[in-house]
Every structure is written in C-alpha cells, then in structure tokens.
Amino acid sequence: MFTVLTIPAFNDNYIWLIKDSQSQRCVVVDPGDAEPVLATLEAQQLIIEAILITHHHHDHTGGVAALIADNPEIKIFSKAPLFEGATLVDDNDQVSLLDGRLSLNVWQVAGHTLDHIAFFNEQVLFCGDTLFSAGCGRIFEGTHQQMYQALLRLKTLNENTKVYCAHEYTQNNLIFALAVDPTNQDLLAYTKQVSKLRQQGVPTIPTTIAQEKLVNPFLRCEDPGLLANVQNLLAQPIVAGEPLFKALRTHKDHF
C-alpha cells in the first residue's frame, strides 16, 4: 500500500513523495527544492530510497544534490545523465522500487524538453511538465509533433489513473480552456469545482485521465466543436488533430 504526499515548493511547484506503508521508506519525484522534502522526511520519520526525475529543469532537480548529500545511498532514475551514479532509463523501461512492491513504467514524452519522461502504472502517472490539468507544458526543446504524440500516448492510459503533474497551473489553464471551448459543460462544471478548491487552499492535483479527456483542450484535438470554436476565434481554417494542437499551443503561448 502506497500513499502519495503533496509537498508544495516555490510559488506553484509540487514535489511528490510516494510513502510505503510497510516501511519507513519513500520515493521522491522531481525534488526542485530539498528543504521542504527534508522537513517532510523528519516529520514523518521517512528515508528516501529513490528519486525519480522527469526532466532536467532546475525546478525539478535543484534539491537532488542536497538530498544525496544527506543520504548517499539514494538511487536516482532519469533519462539524461544529470547526476553521477544515476540509473538511466528510457522508453518502455520499468523501474522496480521498495523491494519490488512498486513498479513504474517509463515512457518518453519529449516536447517540453527532449529528455522528458513519465513514470506510471495503472494507478498513478507522474508526468512532470508534459500534461497539466486543463493544459500542457510549453514546448522549449522539442516540436509540436513530439508534444502532440506524447499527449496522445498519455491519453491512452486507464481513465482512473491519477495524474500527478508538477505545477498548480489549473486555474490559469482553465481561463484559456474556457476561451477556446466556452460551451463545454464539463469544463464549466470543473471550473466551479476548481475555484472552490483554491478558495479553500486545497491543491487541484491530482486530477485523472478521465477528467482531462473531458476538459483539457490539448487532449481534445479531434473534437469538432472545439475545432469550430478555434477556427472562429483565430479566423483561419484549421484541421483537426496535430494542426489544431499546434494552433492551440501557439495561441496559448501568447494568451
């Protein structure tokens, strides 16, 4: 049995801690800052077994060095050789953790960065800055085609999979989503739900694959209603699928 704890960092980052109920060990995902992680470890008397890194950006890796200094036995899993001794993983690899009780698959999801990977199983998805609730990451190193294919891939996961992305961007993403998809009733209902959560200071993450398929415009690029809305909004002909994704992502970059 595992519990995923939320560790807020910086202004809007989330670091994820996978806590093992059968031991005092845990796995940490994308520790951009060591201080809040160390505070959680101390408060719950936990020991880090492994660190999972989705991509190289500093707000996802900045705390790794301090955590390793505190415990040199920590295993690190990443696609790029970011830290000495790290285990490099790639597309379709599997990571076995906590004496084999936790297995996570690895998918390459380039787009935001070229080294971006996601860790997942039937219950959880740790997707870094690829998929957000009602949004997706900016394309810094990859191409629109890579990001579109990455999102299509994540869309195939079990609908009940909990999506643990790395930022609290949901409300801002919803402003854009409503601008391009204003008649989506699921989106309107979700916006009210998210507003209540944020008023209470509660994270909107995790979301689920099922929820995102209903409200996230970047996962709905085959939807004829969304296509018509965006064509009218941008006053240009657009084809469904990847061209619509590119139009949406480009519009969001300047929104």
Side-chain angles (χ1 to χ4, degrees), residues 17-77:
L17 186 149
I18 310 169
K19 179 181 176 183
D20 179 20
S21 63
Q22 296 186 33
S23 70
Q24 290 303 109
R25 290 180 295 162
C26 65
V27 176
V28 176
V29 184
D30 284 349
D33 186 6
E35 188 174 331
V37 177
L38 292 169
T40 301
L41 297 177
E42 182 177 2
Q44 303 218 11
Q45 297 184 321
L46 298 172
I47 298 171
I48 299 179
E49 175 180 298
I51 293 173
L52 309 180
I53 299 173
T54 63
H55 65 293
H56 68 265
H57 284 165
H58 187 71
D59 62 328
H60 295 252
T61 62
V64 173
L67 294 174
I68 297 171
D70 190 63
N71 179 7
E73 301 300 315
I74 294 173
K75 301 173 185 175
I76 302 172
F77 296 90

Side-chain angles (χ1 to χ4, degrees), residues 18-242:
I18 310 169
K19 179 181 176 183
D20 179 20
S21 63
Q22 296 186 33
S23 70
Q24 290 303 109
R25 290 180 295 162
C26 65
V27 176
V28 176
V29 184
D30 284 349
D33 186 6
E35 188 174 331
V37 177
L38 292 169
T40 301
L41 297 177
E42 182 177 2
Q44 303 218 11
Q45 297 184 321
L46 298 172
I47 298 171
I48 299 179
E49 175 180 298
I51 293 173
L52 309 180
I53 299 173
T54 63
H55 65 293
H56 68 265
H57 284 165
H58 187 71
D59 62 328
H60 295 252
T61 62
V64 173
L67 294 174
I68 297 171
D70 190 63
N71 179 7
E73 301 300 315
I74 294 173
K75 301 173 185 175
I76 302 172
F77 296 90
S78 61
K79 177 175 170 58
L82 305 175
F83 297 94
E84 185 176 352
T87 299
L88 303 186
V89 293
D90 209 337
D91 198 41
N92 294 319
D93 284 345
Q94 189 174 77
V95 176
S96 180
L97 304 159
L98 303 168
D99 297 326
R101 292 194 302 280
L102 175 63
S103 292
L104 294 172
N105 302 303
V106 178
W107 273 352
Q108 181 170 317
V109 286
H112 181 68
T113 66
L114 292 177
D115 70 326
H116 209 306
I117 54 176
F119 298 90
F120 70 96
N121 59 23
E122 284 291 307
Q123 290 79 43
V124 296
L125 165 66
F126 299 99
C127 53
D129 289 356
T130 297
L131 174 65
F132 295 124
S133 186
C136 72
R138 285 181 177 266
I139 299 168
F140 288 122
E141 298 175 2
T143 64
H144 287 91
Q145 181 182 32
Q146 286 177 314
M147 180 65 95
Y148 179 64
Q149 291 300 322
L151 293 173
L152 284 183
R153 199 175 196 187
L154 296 180
K155 188 178 176 181
T156 67
L157 293 176
N158 185 300
E159 289 201 339
N160 294 321
T161 301
K162 291 184 177 180
V163 178
Y164 292 92
C165 57
H167 291 276
E168 183 57 71
Y169 287 166
T170 309
Q171 278 193 309
N172 283 337
N173 286 339
L174 285 170
I175 294 170
F176 175 79
L178 286 168
V180 298
D181 201 10
T183 60
N184 183 333
Q185 295 303 308
D186 294 306
L187 180 57
L188 292 166
Y190 185 56
T191 300
K192 292 180 181 179
Q193 176 187 336
V194 165
S195 179
K196 288 181 181 179
L197 290 174
R198 297 311 293 154
Q199 286 173 10
Q200 298 165 5
V202 177
T204 64
I205 309 300
T207 178
T208 65
I209 293 294
Q211 179 71 74
E212 293 311 304
K213 287 167 75 171
L214 293 174
V215 304
N216 193 323
F218 298 101
L219 295 187
R220 302 181 59 250
C221 292
E222 300 296 336
D223 183 85
L226 176 62
L227 176 63
N229 289 338
V230 176
Q231 288 186 121
N232 289 334
L233 181 66
L234 300 182
Q236 64 186 60
I238 304 169
V239 178
E242 186 183 328

